[in-house]
C-alpha cells in the first residue's frame, strides 16, 4: 500500500469515526485529504469504492444510513461501539513484542494529517465528537539507554546484570535480575523482575542504571510468574518516597548563580588555579540532578557524593564525544 493511500484511509477513518452524522460521498470528498486530487467524478467514486472495500476487509465496520427523511442520498459513518476493541489479554512475550512494535509506529507525517483532517472536519460544520480519542498519535519515546537491552532480555527470557545507582545512601551496586517486564509509571521507566541478590521481586528505575546491561546465561531461563501485575507492583513498591541528601560542590567565583541560590557557602578552594567556593545544598533524588549540574560545565565540580560526581562526568564526556544522554 502506498503512503498516499495509507494516509487517505487513516483520514477517512478519522472522519467517519469522529462524527455522529452520516456523511455523503460528496461531503467526504470535500473533507478528507486525498480525494480532492481525483481528476473526475468517476475517478473519485472508483477510489472511494475501493477505500470502502479496503476498510471492510480490514474489519472496520461502516454504517450506511441517512440523517433525516429529507436526505436523498446515503451517508457513511463508523460506530465507535463496533469499532473499539474489547479487553485484550496478552501473554508476557506477546506484550513485550507489542511494546517493541509500538516504538516503531511513530509517524509525524500521519500525525499531522490526522490533526489536519479533524480541523477540516470541524471547519466544514460536521458535528465532531469532542470525546473521540485520537486514532494516530505520537508514541512514547524514551532516551534511557537501558530500555532496549532490557526489553530484549524480557523477550528472550534472559538474566541480566547492571550497575544500579541508589539515591540514599548514595552508592553504586551491581544487580542481577531475572526480568519480567518493562513498564512506565508516572513518567518514569522501570524494569520489574526477580532480584537474585535479594532473592525477592524488585523493580528498578531505568534512569539509575549506569553503563551497559549485561546478559547472563542462555535465553529462555526466565519466565514471568502467573498473576503478576507489573504496573500494580511498580505502583505499590516503585513509587519511592523522596529523600533529601546533602551534596557538596565547588563553584567558580562569581559563576553558577542558579546553584548558589539553592546552596550555602561552607568554604573556599582553588581548583586548577581557579578561585571558587565550596557549596552545600540539599537535593531530593540527587542522582536526577546530574543533568542540571552538568549544564554548568567547568563552572561546577561535584565533590560529594562520588556517585553523583561520576554521573556528571559521564554526561560531560558524552557531550564532548557528540553523544546525547
Amino acid at each position: 500500500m502506498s503512503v498516499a493511500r495509507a494516509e487517505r484511509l487513516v483520514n477517512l477513518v478519522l472522519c467517519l469515526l469522529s462524527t455522529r452524522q452520516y456523511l455523503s460521498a460528496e461531503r467526504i470528498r470535500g473533507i478528507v485529504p486525498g480525494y480532492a486530487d481525483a481528476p473526475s467524478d468517476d475517478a473519485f467514486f472508483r477510489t472511494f469504492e475501493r477505500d470502502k472495500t479496503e476498510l471492510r476487509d480490514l474489519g472496520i465496520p461502516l454504517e450506511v444510513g441517512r440523517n433525516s427523511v429529507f436526505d436523498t442520498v446515503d451517508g457513511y459513518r463508523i460506530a465507535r461501539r463496533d469499532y473499539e476493541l474489547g479487553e485484550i489479554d496478552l501473554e508476557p512475550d506477546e506484550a513485550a513484542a507489542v511494546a517493541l512494535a509500538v516504538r516503531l509506529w511513530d509517524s509525524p507525517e500521519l500525525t499531522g494529517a490526522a490533526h489536519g483532517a479533524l480541523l477540516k472536519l470541524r471547519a466544514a460544520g460536521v458535528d465532531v465528537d469532542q470525546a473521540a480519542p485520537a486514532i494516530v498519535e505520537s508514541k512514547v519515546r524514551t532516551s534511557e539507554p537501558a530500555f532496549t537491552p532490557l526489553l530484549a532480555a524480557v523477550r528472550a527470557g534472559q538474566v541480566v546484570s547492571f550497575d544500579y545507582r541508589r539515591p540514599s545512601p548514595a552508592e553504586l551496586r551491581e544487580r542481577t535480575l531475572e526480568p519480567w517486564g518493562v513498564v512506565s509509571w508516572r513518567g518514569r521507566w522501570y524494569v520489574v523482575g526477580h532480584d537474585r541478590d535479594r532473592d525477592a521481586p524488585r523493580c528498578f528505575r531505568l534512569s539509575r542504571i549506569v553503563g551497559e546491561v549485561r546478559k547472563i546465561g542462555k535465553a529462555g531461563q526466565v519466565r514471568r510468574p502467573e498473576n503478576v501485575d507489573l504496573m500494580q507492583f511498580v505502583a505499590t513498591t516503585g513509587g519511592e518516597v523522596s529523600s533529601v541528601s546533602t551534596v557538596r560542590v565547588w563553584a567558580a567565583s562569581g559563576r553558577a548563580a542558579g546553584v548558589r541560590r539553592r546552596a550555602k557557602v561552607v568554604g573556599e578552594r582553588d581548583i586548577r588555579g581557579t578561585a571558587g567556593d565550596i557549596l552545600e545544598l540539599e537535593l531530593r533524588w540527587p542522582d536526577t540532578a546530574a543533568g542540571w549540574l552538568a549544564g554548568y560545565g567547568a563552572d561546577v565540580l561535584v565533590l560529594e557524593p562520588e556517585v553523583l560526581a561520576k554521573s556528571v562526568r559521564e554526561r560531560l564526556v558524552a557531550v564532548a564525544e557528540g553523544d546525547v544522554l
Side-chain angles (χ1 to χ4, degrees), residues 4-187:
R5 186 180 180 189
E7 290 184 359
R8 188 177 66 246
L9 289 175
V10 169
N11 290 327
L12 179 59
V13 172
L14 279 168
C15 174
L16 298 181
L17 187 61
S18 300
T19 178
R20 299 184 182 91
Q21 305 172 8
Y22 290 101
L23 301 181
S24 67
E26 284 294 338
R27 198 164 190 192
I28 291 172
R29 182 180 184 180
I31 293 174
V32 176
Y35 288 129
D37 299 332
S40 64
D41 292 344
D42 289 341
F44 160 69
F45 282 109
R46 286 196 301 270
T47 301
F48 184 54
E49 288 300 321
R50 286 197 301 268
D51 288 350
K52 287 193 298 179
T53 301
E54 182 75 24
L55 293 183
R56 290 190 176 104
D57 290 343
L58 292 173
I60 298 177
L62 292 180
E63 283 190 348
V64 181
R66 300 183 182 184
N67 297 311
S68 70
V69 295
F70 301 104
D71 289 341
T72 58
V73 295
D74 289 333
Y76 306 89
R77 71 182 182 186
I78 298 174
R80 188 174 298 109
R81 65 179 182 276
D82 299 325
Y83 177 83
E84 293 178 343
L85 293 174
E87 184 176 351
I88 300 176
D89 185 16
L90 297 177
E91 295 297 324
D93 56 341
E94 295 172 332
V98 170
L100 182 61
V102 163
R103 297 181 64 231
L104 305 177
W105 282 87
D106 186 9
S107 171
E109 293 80 7
L110 290 180
T111 303
H115 286 294
L118 287 178
L119 289 175
K120 196 168 185 179
L121 192 65
R122 294 188 179 99
V126 177
D127 184 15
V128 178
D129 187 354
Q130 299 291 338
I135 307 305
V136 179
E137 59 185 8
S138 298
K139 301 301 179 185
V140 176
R141 291 188 177 96
T142 175
S143 59
E144 305 296 349
F147 182 90
T148 300
L150 285 174
L151 191 58
V154 171
R155 296 184 61 196
Q158 193 165 13
V159 181
V160 295
S161 68
F162 48 81
D163 294 327
Y164 191 71
R165 184 174 58 241
R166 295 183 57 189
S168 180
E171 59 184 357
L172 196 65
R173 288 187 178 181
E174 182 179 1
R175 296 295 186 194
T176 302
L177 184 72
E178 299 173 7
W180 298 338
V182 179
V183 297
S184 176
W185 187 72
R186 290 190 175 180

Side-chain angles (χ1 to χ4, degrees), residues 245-249 259 262-264 279-283 292:
S245 297
T246 300
V247 175
R248 179 170 289 202
V249 303
V259 176
R262 303 178 59 176
K264 63 179 180 179
L279 309 177
E280 281 188 355
L281 63 160
E282 294 184 343
L283 296 177
W292 172 57

Side-chain angles (χ1 to χ4, degrees), residues 246-251 266-269 271-272 277-281 293 300-310 312-313:
T246 300
V247 175
R248 179 170 289 202
V249 303
W250 171 89
V266 296
E268 297 179 355
R269 183 188 299 180
I271 294 182
R272 301 186 187 93
D277 300 313
I278 306 299
L279 309 177
E280 281 188 355
L281 63 160
L293 294 172
V300 171
L301 176 65
V302 177
L303 304 177
E304 297 176 2
E306 176 58 28
V307 171
L308 179 58
K310 181 178 179 180
V312 171
R313 288 196 297 269

